[in-house]
Amino acid sequence: MTQLAKYVKEMRKQFGLTQVDLSQKSGVGLRFVRELEQGKTTLRLDKVNQVLALFDAEMSPTKITEA
C-alpha cells in the first residue's frame, strides 16, 4: 500500500465516511476510490486531487532526496 493510499483511507475513516460516501462527496466513481485505496499506481492526478480536496490537501511535486 502506498503512502497516498494509507492517507486517503485513514482520512476517510477519520471523517466517518464509507467508500461510497467518499466517491459521492468528491465526485469520482466508487471504483476509483477503491483503486486509490488499494494503491493503484496509474491514477488520474486530477481525480486524486478531487478526493484530496475534501481533506484540504492536494498532490504536488516534491524534490526527491538521495539517501
Side-chain angles (χ1 to χ4, degrees):
M1 186 180 285
T2 65
Q3 279 186 303
L4 176 61
K6 287 179 189 175
Y7 175 80
V8 170
K9 190 171 188 173
E10 287 173 10
M11 292 302 288
R12 176 177 61 77
K13 288 183 177 185
Q14 192 174 76
F15 279 70
L17 301 171
T18 65
Q19 287 182 334
V20 172
D21 294 335
L22 182 58
S23 72
Q24 291 173 343
K25 289 182 182 292
S26 64
V28 301
L30 178 57
R31 180 178 174 180
F32 182 84
V33 170
R34 288 181 175 154
E35 290 175 344
L36 176 58
E37 288 192 0
Q38 290 171 358
K40 183 177 178 188
T41 57
T42 54
L43 294 170
R44 285 184 41 186
L45 186 57
D46 61 330
K47 287 187 171 190
V48 171
N49 279 329
Q50 271 183 257
V51 173
L52 292 177
L54 290 175
F55 310 126
D56 292 323
E58 69 178 10
M59 292 289 293
S60 61
T62 305
K63 183 160 178 61
I64 298 173
T65 56
E66 294 183 28

